[in-house]
Amino acid sequence: YVEKVRALEIFDSRGNPTVEVHAYLSDGTVAKAEVPSGASTGEKEAVELRDGGKRLQGKGVTQAVANVNGPINDALKGLSPYNQAEIDRTMIKLDGTQNKAKLGANAILGTSMAIARAAARSKDEPLYRYLGGCDLEMPQTFHNVINGGKHADNGIDIQEFMITPVAKNSFRDGFEKIVNTYHALKAVIEEAGFETGLGDEGGFAPNLKSSEEALKMLRTAIIKAGYKPGEDIAIAFDAAASSFYNTEDGKYHFEGHIWNGEEMLQYYDKLLKEFPEIISCEDPFDENDWENFEKFTAKFGSTHQVVADDNVCTNPKLVRKAIKDKLCNSILIKLNQIGTITETLETIRLARKNNMTTMVSHRSGETGDTFIADFTVATNAGQLKSGAPARSERVEKYNRLLEIENQIGVENERLNHFPNNVDFD
Ligand code: PGA
Ligand code: ZN
């Protein structure tokens, strides 16, 4: 049974406070989890409880920590750690609000993840196996290698330019191609006379004036690394359009233009024609501009993956509406947008049942916790985005996938004749 949960205020990759939770089980097992934090957050995300006031720019999480150590601990003490749904439901009920505003989604999610990890450890199972089952597959991964929008101080308004290995023999093989392309991109940026400093998600943040320039550099880098754009390495973007939508005039203030929805749509049309290696587009319109988002999906949804993030916030209720409205054909999955493992699983099931793809995602403020790597494999979510192959809080997730692939290989084949197959958990 759960003996106790204890939380601590720690810091994320942007130097902002966040929550770490330790779960203690009666059999002596202890495990911890750390909660990430976004910058371009959706309005309908579950509430990240912050202290306010002067300390740490108001971003302290001592109240969330106190909620874990007090009411959450009292409510979970004695419950089975193996019944994740009961653990999560108990916290949802204790909180009692629609958006986890009372206890904080940071307090609740940290506890949810720490108990899952402790339960897996106490059963002596790797986390992906404990949360998943058999027939697990490695995900397609998306790597944000040029950062713009709220994740960088440059002139690019599209937030993320990602590369994904389409031709590959294994996760490792694909990741090597990504690493090669990342290094080629650095050289391309240097040669063009721009700085090679990194943005929040480990991608480069050159001070370019337009998204087209970024895409051209990316194409050049893919070729320079020896690959075919679109065939070996494809491109995806997350516009995070809510961050350049102006609610006062209802227009998109994009890279020096002021556009209405129709003009923005025309821009995307041109962009996708000019760059056929783009296969996936996330949040092309503001989170409340469902009308133009739907138009985008109607136009490009049969040829492109259209991912909804800020407007559905991993929330099963909003995903139901998105399905009904044909808003998108893919759902972004962020555990801290909804706040428990159980609800996140519900969202994934719902999306998959309705023929939507799912992409699990890190946040721009991350920690060293690799929970999402195991979670993506466990749920067969199919896709994961966790930033560039640089900066430990990003790379740790991919390193964990390398371990998992190695392990699944061993388990699946029941062979151990590969020299570098070591048992990890
Ligand atoms: P965020 O960005 O973590 O800053 O919200 C990620 C995304 O928009 O997908
Ligand atoms: Zn997004």
Side-chain angles (χ1 to χ4, degrees):
Y1 59 87
V2 176
E3 196 175 274
K4 62 179 179 188
V5 286
R6 287 288 178 269
L8 184 72
E9 184 182 66
I10 59 162
F11 291 84
D12 71 15
S13 58
R14 271 194 287 249
N16 292 326
T18 190
V19 178
E20 171 177 295
V21 179
H22 292 246
Y24 299 77
L25 306 187
S26 52
D27 66 3
T29 312
V30 187
K32 73 165 181 178
E34 300 162 353
V35 180
S37 172
S40 62
T41 47
E43 285 168 17
K44 298 182 190 71
E45 290 196 20
V47 173
E48 193 175 63
L49 196 61
R50 302 237 176 234
D51 297 340
K54 286 215 177 78
R55 181 177 165 270
L56 296 169
Q57 293 81 46
K59 291 186 174 154
V61 292
T62 60
Q63 189 53 52
V65 164
N67 291 344
V68 174
N69 295 341
I72 291 178
N73 175 70
D74 296 346
L76 298 186
K77 226 173 1 187
L79 295 185
S80 166
Y82 309 117
N83 191 341
Q84 189 70 40
E86 185 190 28
I87 295 280
D88 291 341
R89 270 200 309 268
T90 303
M91 289 190 284
I92 292 166
K93 214 169 135 216
L94 182 69
D95 176 82
T97 67
Q98 283 292 318
N99 54 1
K100 303 189 176 62
K102 189 170 163 218
L103 297 171
N106 40 0
I108 293 174
L109 179 65
T111 307
S112 184
M113 296 197 305
I115 289 179
R117 188 172 268 139
R121 197 165 282 170
S122 110
K123 287 204 171 203
D124 206 17
E125 280 181 337
L127 182 60
Y128 66 86
R129 186 68 67 194
Y130 170 74
L131 288 174
C134 309
D135 292 332
L136 302 179
E137 280 167 28
M138 297 303 291
Q140 181 76 24
T141 46
F142 291 76
H143 308 266
N144 182 4
V145 292
I146 299 184
N147 296 183
K150 283 195 178 170
H151 295 168
D153 293 318
N154 55 21
I156 312 170
D157 282 341
I158 287 186
Q159 178 177 279
E160 303 171 14
F161 295 90
M162 293 169 272
I163 48 176
T164 184
V166 269
K168 59 180 182 303
N169 303 316
S170 60
F171 168 71
R172 177 179 291 275
D173 179 44
F175 192 61
E176 281 181 19
K177 292 190 164 99
I178 293 301
V179 168
N180 287 336
T181 308
Y182 184 74
H183 291 299
L185 179 62
K186 182 171 186 183
V188 170
I189 293 171
E190 265 168 1
E191 279 160 27
F194 291 96
E195 299 286 335
T196 51
L198 304 184
D200 285 357
E201 297 192 343
F204 300 107
N207 196 6
L208 307 176
K209 278 194 243 20
S210 73
S211 291
E212 274 113 324
E213 273 182 89
L215 284 163
K216 275 184 194 144
M217 279 191 171
L218 214 40
R219 178 186 281 169
T220 308
I222 293 168
I223 295 166
K224 192 181 166 84
Y227 307 121
K228 287 202 181 75
E231 276 177 52
D232 297 315
I233 305 277
I235 295 178
F237 69 77
D238 177 5
S242 300
S243 48
F244 55 82
Y245 179 75
N246 186 316
T247 43
E248 269 154 40
D249 63 7
K251 299 260 169 68
Y252 292 89
H253 292 228
F254 184 79
E255 297 178 357
H257 307 277
I258 298 180
W259 283 334
N260 62 25
E262 182 54 36
E263 288 163 325
M264 199 67 225
L265 194 64
Q266 278 165 19
Y267 166 81
Y268 287 128
D269 189 37
K270 199 171 140 264
L271 199 72
L272 294 182
K273 283 200 180 101
E274 195 182 335
F275 298 96
E277 58 268 59
I278 296 175
I279 58 167
S280 178
C281 318
E282 180 181 330
D283 282 359
F285 288 94
D286 176 66
E287 62 185 293
N288 295 309
D289 188 0
W290 283 49
E291 196 187 323
N292 282 304
F293 208 119
E294 283 167 37
K295 280 188 193 158
F296 185 95
T297 301
K299 201 168 165 70
F300 306 112
S302 58
T303 49
H304 291 75
Q305 177 168 270
V306 185
V307 188
D309 170 14
D310 287 349
N311 36 13
V312 294
C313 294
T314 318
N315 186 320
K317 280 190 202 123
L318 294 169
V319 170
R320 270 191 204 96
K321 180 164 154 50
I323 291 162
K324 193 170 106 293
D325 294 350
K326 294 195 174 64
L327 177 79
C328 55
N329 58 26
S330 183
I331 303 288
L332 201 76
I333 304 292
K334 290 167 169 165
L335 285 142
N336 80 326
Q337 278 183 328
I338 185 74
T340 63
I341 293 173
T342 302
E343 290 160 289
T344 309
L345 292 173
E346 187 188 340
T347 299
I348 294 176
R349 267 196 301 271
L350 191 63
R352 308 286 297 206
K353 215 170 73 198
N354 289 279
N355 297 318
M356 292 206 183
T357 57
T358 47
M359 186 190 293
V360 176
S361 170
H362 64 156
R363 299 307 304 247
S364 50
E366 263 297 334
T367 70
D369 196 318
T370 57
F371 194 95
I372 55 169
D374 285 71
F375 186 77
T376 306
V377 174
T379 54
N380 273 339
Q383 304 176 35
L384 170 72
K385 70 166 182 174
S386 183
R391 298 185 26 155
S392 297
E393 79 277 7
R394 315 291 149 189
V395 184
E396 279 303 301
K397 276 71 161 173
Y398 303 128
N399 286 342
R400 176 65 185 147
L401 285 182
L402 290 170
E403 289 176 2
I404 294 173
E405 180 171 69
N406 204 67
Q407 181 72 33
I408 290 178
V410 175
E411 289 173 4
N412 287 356
E413 296 180 31
R414 301 263 170 252
L415 290 172
N416 219 342
H417 60 250
F418 300 107
N420 56 357
N421 270 354
V422 187
D423 272 345
F424 295 103
D425 69 16

